């Protein structure tokens, strides 16, 4: 099991960052201003649809980062459907934030996410960095993290053409039934006013169609700065060489 962070002096470290492409802008910005030597490897977000495949790719990349070249491997991931659970550190420490997904990262703290969840558990989060890369490797395929474009009547299985209009209407209703679990749509921006006008309007219209309250909320780069520059305190797991990332339970 991971113990207390062992890497205290982070000055002039050689860091290998392996991150989801959704974090590309904040991580590149932090790496550019960092005193450390930072090499970055971004992985397409579409692999979240196959956690077991994502975990295998992450492990391969972790194994390839040798202490000959680096002092630590940094994961730009949370637990992400437990895709990172069970990953083994190579011959250098492995560091990752103690968050479950990208929402907590962009909010700046996991505690803030929990407060918002308790305030309104039926919240659907829209993150511009995620949405602006929505077509990367996904081929336009529908996924739960991207409701934009999911207008009733679209994205139906090809087999719907084989059914009567009544049955097709039922299929449409079932495909959109997940929306009933939500009441609020939050557009989460790192800096206020940075979301392209067209994208914000698209989110507003989607929210209106779904009957959700629309809210804009300011995010934070705080966790990204700590991820790259430290300190790696209680908000992070520091996995010793040869040890595994534990399963994180929801809390």
């Amino acid at each position: 099991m991971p113990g207390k962070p062992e890497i205290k002096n982070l000055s002039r470290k050689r860091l290998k960052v392996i991150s989801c492409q959704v974090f590309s802008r904040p991580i590149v910005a932090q790496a550019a201003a960092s005193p450390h030597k930072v090499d970055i490897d971004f992985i397409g977000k579409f692999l979240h649809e196959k956690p077991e495949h994502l975990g295998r790719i992450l492990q391969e990349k972790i194994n390839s980062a040798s202490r000959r070249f680096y002092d630590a491997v940094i994961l730009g991931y949370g637990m992400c459907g437990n895709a990172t659970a069970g990953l083994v550190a190579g011959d250098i420490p492995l560091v990752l934030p103690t968050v479950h997904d990208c929402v907590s990262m962009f909010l700046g703290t996991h505690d803030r996410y929990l407060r918002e969840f308790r305030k309104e558990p039926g919240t659907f989060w829209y993150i511009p960095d995620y949405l602006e890369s929505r077509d990367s490797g996904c081929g336009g395929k529908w996924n739960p993290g991207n409701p934009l474009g999911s207008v009733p009547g679209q994205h139906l299985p090809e087999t719907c053409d084989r059914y009567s209009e009544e049955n097709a209407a039922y299929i449409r209703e079932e495909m959109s039934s997940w929306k009933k679990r939500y009441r609020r749509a939050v557009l989460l921006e790192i800096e206020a006013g940075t979301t392209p006008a067209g994208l914000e309007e698209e989110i507003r219209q989607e929210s209106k169609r779904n009957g959700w309250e629309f809210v804009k909320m300011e995010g934070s780069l705080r966790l990204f700065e700590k991820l790259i520059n430290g300190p790696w305190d209680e908000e992070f797991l520091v996995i010793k060489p040869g040890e595994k990332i534990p399963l994180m339970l929801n809390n």
Side-chain angles (χ1 to χ4, degrees):
M1 294 290 293
K4 294 183 178 179
E6 292 188 340
I7 303 176
K8 298 180 180 179
N9 182 6
L10 293 178
S11 62
R12 300 179 183 178
K13 293 295 182 180
R14 302 167 301 167
L15 305 176
K16 174 66 174 183
V17 176
I18 305 169
S19 172
C20 178
Q21 74 177 92
V22 172
F23 295 156
S24 58
R25 280 190 290 196
I27 283 183
V28 167
Q30 295 302 319
S34 175
H36 314 311
K37 179 183 181 297
V38 183
D39 290 340
I40 308 174
D41 191 350
F42 289 118
I43 298 176
K45 71 173 187 181
F46 62 93
L47 285 174
H48 283 282
E49 297 177 5
K50 299 180 179 180
E52 70 288 348
H53 187 45
L54 174 59
R56 185 165 59 252
I57 289 178
L58 290 175
Q59 188 64 68
E60 291 173 355
K61 291 184 178 294
I62 291 168
N63 294 343
S64 67
S66 168
R67 63 183 176 184
R68 178 182 176 185
F69 302 105
Y70 302 105
D71 297 302
V73 172
I74 309 298
L75 282 187
Y77 285 89
M79 291 309 293
C80 301
N82 287 320
T84 56
L87 293 178
V88 180
D91 57 6
I92 54 178
L94 177 62
V95 181
L96 73 159
T98 54
V99 299
H100 292 285
D101 54 36
C102 58
V103 175
S104 295
M105 285 296 294
F106 283 104
L107 280 171
T109 70
H110 183 57
D111 286 344
R112 186 183 176 193
Y113 171 79
L114 292 178
R115 289 196 301 271
E116 289 296 332
F117 178 81
R118 292 170 186 138
K119 177 181 177 182
E120 179 49 79
T123 297
F124 200 102
W125 297 91
Y126 290 90
I127 300 174
D129 294 70
Y130 189 104
L131 296 172
E132 290 173 358
S133 62
R134 56 186 150 166
D135 295 327
S136 300
C138 297
K141 181 180 178 181
W142 160 260
N143 67 77
N146 175 18
L148 296 184
S150 57
V151 181
Q154 292 184 352
H155 303 285
L156 294 178
E158 293 179 1
T159 52
C160 280
D161 293 336
R162 305 174 186 175
Y163 300 111
S164 67
E165 180 56 33
E166 181 180 355
N167 286 340
Y170 173 78
I171 293 173
R172 293 188 187 97
E173 177 65 22
E174 287 298 303
M175 289 180 65
S176 62
S177 62
W178 63 270
K179 298 177 183 179
K180 298 176 182 178
R181 300 196 302 268
Y182 298 93
R183 300 176 56 183
R184 181 177 70 158
V186 174
L187 170 57
L188 182 58
E189 298 179 305
I190 293 298
E191 296 182 19
T194 56
T195 302
L199 180 58
E200 179 175 335
E201 180 59 24
E202 193 177 355
I203 294 171
R204 285 181 179 275
Q205 292 301 318
E206 181 78 17
S207 302
K208 184 177 180 179
R209 283 193 294 268
N210 295 337
W212 299 342
E213 175 192 7
F214 175 81
V215 176
K216 291 179 69 173
M217 190 177 296
E218 187 172 353
S220 171
L221 289 173
R222 175 181 173 276
L223 277 180
F224 291 103
E225 182 177 1
K226 289 184 68 174
L227 182 64
I228 301 299
N229 295 321
W232 297 328
D233 51 22
E234 65 278 358
E235 292 187 288
F236 297 85
L237 292 177
V238 178
I239 311 299
K240 299 176 183 178
E243 293 189 347
K244 291 183 179 182
I245 297 175
L247 177 68
M248 286 174 57
L249 300 178
N250 291 326
N251 54 43

